[in-house]
Amino acid sequence: MAIFFRVLALALLLAVPAAPALAGGNELVFSWQSNCGPLNPHLYSPNQMYAQNMLYEPLVRYAEGGKIVPWLAERWDISPDGRTYTFHLRQGVTFSDGTPFDAAAVKANFEAVRKNLARHKWLELVNQLDVLEAPDPATFVMKLKSPYYPALQELSLIRPLRFASPAVFPEDGDTSKGLKKAVGTGPWLLTETKLGEYDLFIRNDKYWGKKPALERVRVKVISDPNARLTAYETGDVDLIYGSGGHASGQIGMDAFKLLAADKANVTGISGPLGTRALCLNSGRGPTRDLAVRQAVAHAVDKAALVKGVFLDVEKPADTLFASDIPYCDLKLPPFALDPAKAEKLLDDAGWKLPKGASVRQKDGQDLEIDLCFIGNDALQKFIAELMQGELAKVGMRIRLVGEESDAFGKRQHDGDFGIIFNDTSGPPYEPHAVVGSMRSPSHADYQAQVGLPMKANIDAKITQALTSTDEDKRAALYKDILTTLHEQAVYLPLTNMTNIVVHRQDVTDPGFMPTKYEIPFEGMTKR
């Protein structure tokens, strides 16, 4: 079987268009599943986040432990009422086209984002923007409609509040119509794109900060993880970096383990960068019953899942957010694997197993639950099948519903599911952005919670947490919210998602970034 996969991988690699041979020099070759897109900092797909991060910079950055550190803003002041942020901008910074980076440029970029408000409504900070001022070239003032404590975290996101040169804006300033050219203040320039083949980035020698040691980063377009593995093994790719797994990952977990066993390679696994989880619908079907949700949590063997599916590359998750996320080290008791307890919960709740039957019933209704996943996502399908077998042991019938991603998304939007995959976004979105989205009916989180008797109270506390200027009060609110959701078992956390890295000895890297979508090219070298 292994030989088959290698042959398949080679065939897929041969199908990848080859980039023309260019000068070697100090060039690192990476690969991604698509081209980087037009690289507009104010828009989303097909713009690729790793590439937007190479060209465009934020006012502040998200650092280890959830700290917010200065970047294009050297310092800032926050008014006592939490509504006015005054940023003192770094001096001597220019865009790569020579345009000065100043308060007028910051204001122009913020205004451009506001012109496309409907597209950015998911980000609460954009909704909260009220008055934007540039009283002098070194000072930018952001006034909010109401206090919003995650403002700095959301300014650190890769998109949409980063800065393109105003010289490349359309005449009306509406960047949703496109940019004349991708021009930022960052350490890299995009110099060449060949559709379906590669993108070429070169070092910005006018960069205000420490310049990258690498001269060039070539990113080949390789959509298939097996083809990427072969490209690495044949020396056509220098670096593998990103999530693991065949669905949307860089390479499969099995391939990573093989590469890690070879001393010619340097490999690593990051800390938690999000949670792989499922939502259980409290408003529909048997999962309306708390006992059923708790029984599911006790019946799924996460240890077997981690070993069999993730090959120990990812670790089991017991809570919705990892303990290193701000406000989330609550030491909540996990739902340990305990099939006997799951059966007792079901028995006590009236879900009885008729003599000779394999599926429990209550009031004539079978204990049957839809488990929804993206049909062509091999990882989700594998997990769903494993859960189907685990839950059958305690008398639940799991009906697997694998569909196209659009149909899957509609189920999340409409709440048409019993159980559905719904991973968290990782830092810096956690916990505030994920928790904030729980109030939106278009999110699976809201739909999963809508049947909870305390849902209105949860939503009110979320709003209070996001707008509180009192740190102790905010921490207490988060503890209350997350404890309630944990006890109500509307989430089944499976594993902590990680990034992986693989390269040969001639490449050095600085380790992992604190967020999922940043790749530290500027800290890498290649001999």
Side-chain angles (χ1 to χ4, degrees), residues 76-87 148-149 151-152 469:
W76 54 90
D77 307 307
I78 305 174
S79 64
D81 67 1
R83 296 187 178 190
T84 301
Y85 288 67
T86 302
F87 294 96
Y148 185 60
Y149 96 84
L152 294 175
T469 58

Side-chain angles (χ1 to χ4, degrees), residues 287-308:
T287 49
R288 284 179 297 182
D289 190 332
L290 173 60
V292 172
R293 301 195 300 271
Q294 292 176 331
V296 170
H298 281 298
V300 174
D301 188 349
K302 294 181 188 177
L305 185 75
V306 165
K307 190 175 182 61

Side-chain angles (χ1 to χ4, degrees), residues 253-322:
M253 304 293 187
D254 52 349
F256 175 77
K257 298 289 280 190
L258 284 172
L259 294 173
D262 184 344
K263 293 182 179 178
N265 303 310
V266 178
T267 61
I269 304 171
S270 76
L273 293 173
T275 303
R276 201 179 299 279
L278 298 105
C279 284
L280 282 71
N281 197 334
S282 65
R284 174 181 177 275
T287 49
R288 284 179 297 182
D289 190 332
L290 173 60
V292 172
R293 301 195 300 271
Q294 292 176 331
V296 170
H298 281 298
V300 174
D301 188 349
K302 294 181 188 177
L305 185 75
V306 165
K307 190 175 182 61
V309 179
F310 297 100
L311 306 180
D312 293 320
V313 175
E314 295 187 6
K315 302 302 179 187
D318 291 322
T319 53
L320 183 60
F321 301 120

Side-chain angles (χ1 to χ4, degrees), residues 398-417:
I398 299 300
R399 194 172 77 90
L400 301 185
V401 182
E403 296 174 310
E404 298 279 337
S405 59
D406 287 350
F408 174 86
K410 189 173 187 305
R411 286 185 182 274
Q412 287 188 320
H413 181 278
D414 297 343
D416 186 13
F417 60 86

Side-chain angles (χ1 to χ4, degrees), residues 165 175 302 326 339 345-346 364 444 447 464 485:
S165 169
T175 56
K302 294 181 188 177
L345 282 165
L346 295 172
Q447 296 295 343
Q464 292 174 40
L485 293 176

